[in-house]
Amino acid sequence: MRIPFPHRFGGWQQAVSKPIEQRVCCDNLDSHSLSNRVMKPVLYFYASKAGAVPGGIVGKKKQKGLVIVESPAKARKIGEYLGRDYTVLASVGHIRDLPAKAAEIPPEFKKEPWATLGVNVTAQFEPLYVVPTEKKKIIKELKDAMKDVDELILATDEDREGESIGWHLAKVLNPKIPVKRMVFSEITKEAIQTALKNSRQLDENLVSAQETRRVLDRLYGYTLSPLLWKKIARGLSAGRVQSVAVRMLVQRELERLAFHSGKYWDLKAQLQTAGQAEFQAVLTSVDKQRVATGKDFDENTGKLKPNADVRLLDETEARDLLDSIKGGPWTVSQVESRQQTRSPYAPFTTSTLQQEANRKLGMTARATMQTAQRLYEDGYITYMRTDSVHLSTEAITAARSCVQTRYGDEYLSSEPRQYTTTSKGAQEAHEAIRPAGTEMKTAEELGLSDQQAKLYALIWKRTIATQMAEAKLTFQTVTIASGNAEFRATGRHVDFPGFFRAYVEGVDDADAVLDDQDSTLPPLEESATLNCKELEPVFHETKPPARFTEASLVRKLEAEGVGRPSTYATVIGTIQDRGYVRKANNQLIPTYTAMAVTRLLENYFPRLVDYKFTADMEQELDDIATGSRDRLPYLQRFYAGKEGLEEQVKANEENIDPRAACTLNFEGISANIRVGRYGPYLERKDNGEDVTASIPEDVAPADITNDKVEQLIHDKKQGPQSLGMHPEEGLPIYILRGPFGPYLQLGEVVEGEAKPKRVGIPKNMDPNSLPLETALALINLPRDLGQHPERGKKVTAGVGRFGPYVLHDKVYKSLGKDDNVLIVDLNQAVELLKQARTKQAAAPLRELGNHPEDGDPIGLYEGKYGPYVKHKKILATVPKDTPLETVTLEQALTWIAEKAAKGGGKRGKKSAGRKSPTKTAARKTKAGGTKKKAKKSKSGKSDDE
């Protein structure tokens, strides 16, 4: 046996002191040969199955090279392929960066005027790099490991960020041995060994481009953010890409606010052929004049466009037309048919993967990238940050073989299909996102589960589809005449599915038809007579522009050339974390704060949120990456001089009135909207008196109307309404309004006593005409509906934060908008519960290891309010700006210990208290609705994109 016990060789303490993620392992470990007492520490030292480097005792034999990657997971996987001659360690992300807080600034620089920026703007924008405390131990271990190797190999990611990490490693470690740069787009044995043979030098242009981005984003965020604190609110931030992304959302919200709906009528006919086949047709013209449709209306006026030569039908005209033509005859006047072929979509880039994962899987951009990172590090897919749609020859061959095997020769494209990258500034990696290797195994064959399986399956299908035959479709258009009216019916038939068998791209419009869906018309010939089974008038109302989803925002950012897809997940996460955006039903809704900040930036710094200016900045950064542009003139032009950012901020600061900056005036709204310390509120004068009223959280800027304004102000003036006394409790029942809508409260808030019972008023009940009997029934919820007929446990009905529900054995199911929580019975509840999705324990993004005290697992999770680590029932938040791929077991143990010391358990946002029924009660107690003082952010600055 090759493995000695700890007391039989030196250096044991030094080896065991390393974090488990970085410890090197030995091969041929026979766990059955060691006692349990000795086995546990030895496993930290030897970890051939989970670790990175087989081959002997650490420090005893000089090895060929030290390979450094970013993450422990990546180190373990690559170590399996390089063999015993190489040590593979992880830097755990960046080992140095610009100072994140004042405490990190070295003493000798603290008094410098540029110290808070972390960039010496007086000396060619030289960045001040500091090594965070937690990285010093890692650096020491990397330096120690270099003593026993012949060369240093930097194997960080192949994009600009990876090049930068590698460069910083080389600078900090200051090796006296040869340094090589090793790049690869997939973690397979063949790819790693090929990359090792084809190493290169660090690309100084890429490093310069990344450093310029970092400096630029720091100057942007740290110069503008303090201005927003002074003029609008603490904790806000500005960013080169995030501010433009917020502006896109705000502009769409303003379009919705300015939108005026157009109204029109037409007819819909249910027709039948002589062979009894039925289909639908819609009215298209009357007296040879086209009937108005939604596209003919001006969205700013709700009226027909001036040049629209159409017939606008009102209800009366539609019904009169119906009466005149219903009896027929109905005759087919024209039949048109056309064939079309569809080619497969290009393989995934970062952007298209984020879009499709959001549309098809409901995954956020952040969750998509985290899951893809895990798949990449585990060797299942190629590098996930790429603008390229190129596929390697090996990948194309593998995909074509897979098509033949799984679908047959008829579904294989006639020749290999390659794609050309056309996106602006494509620069990240050199191949599209695809399954790694050449076997093209499915998610099931790889044993993947949960989100990893779903995302991998999406990538697999998209890749395989690229080498499949084109789909063939037939589109049919039939014109039917009846009297002075013409109707049209359309159909589509998939003649040959081709690549549709593997993959069909999703759409943002929920009403749109997917490519592979059939809606075939029956066989029809010109002059054929039809029978009208049913004819009905249909009312239409034009809809405002749809709000952005994460998928459509990513597409818009990419189309405008703003930022790079590799940063979109971070940007979208940041604008939500900063309170600029809230998400509802997959829509990204800008807050009133976002409206105020965007208006300030548009008025005083228009270039910084201009799409073209931001895209040009991106192109200039790409030029620096290729070496065709110098960084210094670019930074000087952006920041210094009369037109530079520094002088612009100084010149405008005095001109910006904080009150005006926090006041929004929407056209047609009879009150000002103020962005206050505790949220948005209405403000106006009534009879010379200032009146204010809070705006509920669920009222979006584009949804505010004068009726809503009057209602909110009326409720505020009126004060809490007592509907009457509770007959058993002897307490009044009040109607109040909170951030989540109207609710009932039993009694008043009294300091030192338990909070009064509250229950939300369902949306299908009018709070302004709620009778006492209904209020009593609501305040007495939840209702006991009886025992579940199959499981025997109690079923109840109640109202929660998200509305009415039925509950059985911890399984909730929301009631429909037409269901009444007060009359729903057991049978209805049982049927609804059958539709409920049983809540499953969340799958971790990554297992970090086991707790040293009890051996229970510790995992890294993505939660509603951000990432966290979990041990048993203790959930500890991952500190902001910590890259999730770098989180280690050692860090998690520290956070969990800190949370446990505070008596922490489950995470979650504390809901703001609701207003108490009387001003006196509110003054006497902290509970019941006086607003809590907002916590100040440690740093509202943002130098993220």
Side-chain angles (χ1 to χ4, degrees):
M1 178 177 172
R2 295 179 55 199
I3 304 173
F5 283 86
H7 65 272
R8 292 180 59 186
F9 62 92
W12 167 260
Q13 292 297 330
Q14 181 182 359
V16 173
S17 68
K18 290 188 178 184
I20 186 169
E21 292 83 3
Q22 295 190 31
R23 289 173 197 149
V24 188
C25 62
C26 296
D27 59 354
N28 299 330
L29 175 62
D30 183 359
S31 61
H32 299 290
S33 304
L34 300 175
S35 67
N36 289 335
R37 171 174 288 184
V38 176
M39 186 62 204
K40 193 166 185 178
V42 171
L43 274 175
Y44 281 95
F45 185 57
Y46 301 92
S48 61
K49 290 185 179 179
V53 184
I57 301 168
V58 174
K60 290 296 181 181
K61 177 184 176 182
K62 194 162 187 177
Q63 295 175 307
K64 286 184 179 180
L66 168 63
V67 179
I68 303 179
V69 297
E70 296 98 330
S71 74
K74 195 172 168 184
R76 286 193 292 269
K77 196 71 179 177
I78 292 174
E80 294 175 9
Y81 300 139
L82 289 183
R84 65 185 64 189
D85 290 332
Y86 293 90
T87 298
V88 185
L89 299 180
S91 67
V92 195
H94 280 276
I95 58 168
R96 68 175 186 176
D97 199 357
L98 302 177
K101 50 190 176 183
E104 291 184 356
I105 300 173
E108 63 267 29
F109 297 111
K110 282 187 181 292
K111 293 184 179 180
E112 296 290 343
W114 49 265
T116 54
L117 285 174
V119 177
N120 189 346
V121 295
T122 63
Q124 299 187 337
F125 295 90
E126 182 182 350
L128 174 63
Y129 291 120
V130 297
V131 177
T133 304
E134 65 270 16
K135 294 292 184 177
K136 292 178 179 177
K137 183 179 178 182
I138 293 174
I139 291 172
K140 182 181 182 304
E141 291 166 350
L142 294 174
K143 286 184 175 180
D144 289 342
M146 277 201 310
K147 297 174 183 177
D148 298 317
V149 298
D150 294 326
E151 61 183 4
L152 173 63
I153 302 170
L154 303 171
T156 48
D157 289 341
E158 62 177 332
D159 57 9
R160 281 188 296 240
E161 189 80 13
E163 203 76 13
S164 176
I165 293 174
W167 180 82
H168 281 286
L169 283 165
K171 291 295 181 183
V172 173
L173 297 178
N174 192 25
K176 307 302 181 186
I177 53 178
V179 179
K180 294 180 179 179
R181 177 76 169 104
M182 169 180 160
V183 292
F184 43 87
S185 61
E186 58 184 327
I187 304 177
T188 62
K189 186 172 184 177
E190 182 180 2
I192 296 302
Q193 292 180 345
T194 300
L196 187 63
K197 294 175 184 176
N198 296 280
S199 59
R200 60 170 172 80
Q201 298 301 308
L202 283 163
D203 187 328
E204 294 289 341
N205 288 332
L206 280 181
V207 173
S208 179
Q210 182 59 30
E211 183 174 83
T212 305
R213 284 172 181 273
R214 188 74 184 94
V215 169
L216 181 67
D217 291 335
R218 173 58 67 97
L219 295 175
Y220 193 122
Y222 272 48
T223 305
L224 272 181
S225 296
L227 181 70
L228 299 181
W229 303 351
K230 295 175 185 177
K231 304 301 181 180
I232 297 181
R234 294 285 299 180
L236 297 178
S237 67
R240 179 170 59 88
V241 176
Q242 65 157 289
S243 294
V244 177
V246 171
R247 184 181 178 225
M248 288 178 176
L249 300 175
V250 167
Q251 286 187 320
R252 180 60 55 85
E253 196 71 7
L254 291 173
E255 290 171 7
R256 291 175 63 87
L257 184 66
F259 178 80
H260 287 77
S261 179
K263 301 174 176 60
Y264 62 98
W265 288 76
D266 62 17
L267 301 177
K268 182 172 69 174
Q270 185 74 18
L271 303 175
Q272 186 182 59
T273 66
Q276 307 299 308
E278 294 188 9
F279 64 98
Q280 286 187 348
V282 294
L283 177 70
T284 56
S285 67
V286 177
D287 294 326
K288 303 298 182 181
Q289 186 179 25
R290 186 170 64 85
V291 173
T293 61
K295 66 181 181 181
D296 298 310
F297 288 86
D298 185 334
E299 61 185 25
N300 295 315
T301 64
K303 301 181 183 301
L304 288 175
K305 295 175 181 176
N307 59 348
D309 182 19
V310 294
R311 176 84 170 266
L312 178 61
L313 299 180
D314 59 21
E315 183 178 8
T316 301
E317 290 174 307
R319 293 189 182 279
D320 288 346
L321 180 64
L322 182 152
D323 292 337
S324 68
I325 65 173
K326 187 172 184 180
W330 293 75
T331 308
V332 176
S333 58
Q334 187 178 28
V335 177
E336 294 178 314
S337 181
R338 60 185 176 88
Q339 278 68 45
Q340 189 180 87
T341 59
R342 295 282 177 85
S343 297
Y345 320 100
F348 279 131
T349 61
T350 303
S351 168
T352 53
L353 178 63
Q354 291 174 358
Q355 293 175 49
E356 280 292 85
N358 184 249
R359 295 185 192 115
K360 288 178 172 281
L361 306 178
M363 294 176 68
T364 64
R366 180 185 281 170
T368 299
M369 294 308 291
Q370 289 168 353
T371 305
Q373 176 94 25
R374 181 69 184 274
L375 288 170
Y376 166 67
E377 291 181 347
D378 287 345
Y380 295 129
I381 65 171
T382 52
Y383 191 55
M384 66 287 158
R385 294 187 181 93
T386 175
D387 293 339
S388 173
V389 292
H390 174 77
L391 289 173
S392 67
T393 302
E394 294 78 11
I396 290 175
T397 301
R400 294 181 67 79
S401 174
C402 185
V403 172
Q404 284 181 302
T405 303
R406 295 178 183 273
Y407 299 101
D409 289 339
E410 64 176 325
Y411 283 94
L412 184 66
S413 62
S414 58
E415 58 184 29
R417 188 181 286 113
Q418 186 61 271
Y419 294 83
T420 304
T421 300
T422 58
S423 63
K424 295 179 183 178
Q427 50 77 37
E428 295 292 352
H430 306 297
E431 195 172 359
I433 303 170
R434 60 166 176 83
T438 57
E439 295 184 346
M440 293 289 166
K441 290 183 177 180
T442 64
E444 293 77 14
E445 291 168 342
L446 292 173
L448 297 175
S449 59
D450 301 321
Q451 293 295 74
Q452 286 192 50
K454 293 176 183 177
L455 191 64
Y456 178 87
L458 206 62
I459 295 167
W460 185 91
K461 291 175 182 177
R462 181 94 163 204
T463 305
I464 296 302
T466 65
Q467 302 306 313
M468 295 181 73
E470 295 175 330
K472 297 178 182 179
L473 301 91
T474 296
F475 290 85
Q476 305 154 294
T477 303
V478 177
T479 304
I480 302 105
S482 179
N484 62 338
E486 279 190 345
F487 287 72
R488 180 171 296 162
T490 58
R492 55 188 283 153
H493 175 66
V494 178
D495 302 318
F496 175 65
F499 72 93
F500 287 166
R501 281 283 305 274
Y503 192 86
V504 179
E505 189 167 66
V507 292
D508 293 317
D509 183 358
D511 297 327
V513 177
L514 293 177
D515 282 340
D516 65 334
Q517 292 181 349
D518 260 351
S519 55
T520 308
L521 292 176
L524 293 167
E525 295 181 356
E526 291 184 8
S527 302
T529 301
L530 303 172
N531 178 32
C532 181
K533 297 282 291 182
E534 186 179 351
L535 185 62
E536 60 175 335
V538 181
F539 171 71
H540 300 275
E541 190 170 12
T542 57
K543 297 179 181 179
R547 289 189 177 100
F548 284 104
T549 63
E550 288 201 16
S552 57
L553 180 59
V554 165
R555 190 174 70 248
K556 175 71 171 176
L557 287 167
E558 187 176 35
E560 295 290 346
V562 175
R564 284 291 171 255
S566 59
T567 67
Y568 292 162
T570 301
V571 169
I572 293 173
T574 297
I575 62 178
Q576 293 180 75
D577 295 341
R578 296 291 185 188
Y580 288 132
V581 178
R582 68 180 178 89
K583 186 183 274 189
N585 299 321
N586 206 34
Q587 295 180 330
L588 297 175
I589 305 173
T591 62
Y592 294 93
T593 300
M595 310 287 280
V597 169
T598 297
R599 188 188 59 181
L600 184 150
L601 294 176
E602 286 177 332
N603 288 344
Y604 295 97
F605 310 97
R607 281 200 317 159
L608 297 183
V609 288
D610 179 75
Y611 299 165
K612 186 177 186 307
F613 176 75
T614 308
D616 289 344
M617 289 172 68
E618 202 68 52
Q619 184 57 54
E620 289 180 282
L621 290 167
D622 288 341
D623 292 342
I624 293 171
T626 61
S628 58
R629 186 183 293 269
D630 186 41
R631 66 182 287 275
L632 186 57
Y634 173 69
L635 290 172
Q636 287 174 330
R637 189 172 68 254
F638 174 78
Y639 186 77
K642 188 176 180 181
E643 298 299 320
L645 179 62
E646 183 182 31
E647 287 302 318
Q648 285 186 51
V649 171
K650 288 179 181 178
N652 286 314
E653 185 169 350
E654 292 183 3
N655 300 327
I656 301 174
D657 176 19
R659 180 172 179 81
C662 293
T663 304
L664 300 171
N665 306 105
F666 289 169
E667 186 177 351
I669 301 300
S670 61
N672 290 330
I673 296 173
R674 299 267 296 138
V675 177
R677 186 177 183 181
Y678 302 112
Y681 62 94
L682 299 167
E683 179 185 70
R684 78 177 184 196
K685 285 188 179 294
D686 278 1
N687 300 320
E689 180 184 351
D690 288 333
V691 178
T692 63
S694 295
I695 300 175
E697 186 182 72
D698 61 349
V699 178
D703 298 338
I704 194 103
T705 62
N706 258 334
D707 289 342
K708 176 64 72 174
V709 168
E710 296 303 327
Q711 180 66 58
L712 292 171
I713 290 178
H714 173 268
D715 293 344
K716 176 66 180 292
K717 284 181 175 181
Q718 188 178 45
Q721 294 176 265
S722 174
L723 297 179
M725 302 297 288
H726 194 290
E728 298 171 8
E729 301 290 343
L731 296 172
I733 299 177
Y734 294 102
I735 290 185
L736 301 169
R737 292 184 184 274
F740 307 112
Y743 64 98
L744 299 170
Q745 178 173 295
L746 180 61
E748 297 186 3
V749 176
V750 181
E751 189 173 5
E753 295 185 9
K755 289 183 180 181
K757 184 175 182 179
R758 293 164 176 164
V759 62
I761 299 174
K763 290 185 177 181
N764 56 8
M765 297 183 183
D766 183 4
N768 299 312
S769 58
L770 196 70
L772 177 61
E773 293 76 17
T774 303
L776 286 169
L778 288 171
I779 208 74
N780 289 331
L781 290 174
R783 294 169 52 221
D784 186 348
L785 303 183
Q787 305 297 314
H788 195 286
E790 298 173 7
R791 302 188 179 99
K793 291 187 177 181
K794 184 168 65 174
V795 178
T796 59
V799 176
R801 175 179 171 181
F802 303 108
Y805 63 85
V806 289
L807 167 66
H808 167 256
D809 196 19
K810 299 182 181 180
V811 175
Y812 289 83
K813 175 61 181 175
S814 295
L815 297 184
K817 62 181 180 180
D818 298 324
D819 293 326
N820 190 328
V821 68
L822 301 179
I823 61 176
V824 64
D825 59 23
L826 181 62
N827 290 334
Q828 288 175 286
V830 170
E831 288 303 311
L832 285 168
L833 287 165
K834 288 179 181 178
Q835 305 167 23
R837 290 181 295 179
T838 305
K839 187 175 180 180
Q840 298 178 343
L845 297 173
R846 185 153 55 92
E847 292 286 359
L848 300 176
N850 297 330
H851 199 289
E853 294 180 5
D854 55 27
D856 284 334
I858 295 177
L860 174 65
Y861 295 81
E862 175 67 35
K864 182 178 180 181
Y865 305 113
Y868 63 94
V869 292
K870 177 182 177 183
H871 170 246
K872 292 186 174 178
K873 293 185 177 180
I874 298 178
L875 287 70
T877 300
V878 174
K880 183 179 157 294
D881 296 334
T882 301
L884 297 191
E885 63 270 17
T886 69
V887 174
T888 65
L889 176 63
E890 192 175 52
Q891 289 175 305
L893 290 171
T894 301
W895 300 330
I896 288 167
E898 291 172 353
K899 188 67 179 284
K902 295 177 183 177
K906 293 185 176 180
R907 299 164 69 253
K909 283 189 177 180
K910 294 181 180 179
S911 58
R914 294 184 170 118
K915 294 182 179 179
S916 59
T918 66
K919 292 182 180 178
T920 304
R923 284 195 297 269
K924 288 181 180 179
T925 177
K926 293 181 180 178
T930 54
K931 292 179 177 176
K932 298 178 181 178
K933 188 174 182 180
K935 290 184 178 180
K936 290 185 179 179
S937 169
K938 291 182 179 178
S939 171
K941 296 178 183 176
S942 172
D943 52 340
D944 297 329
E945 291 194 348

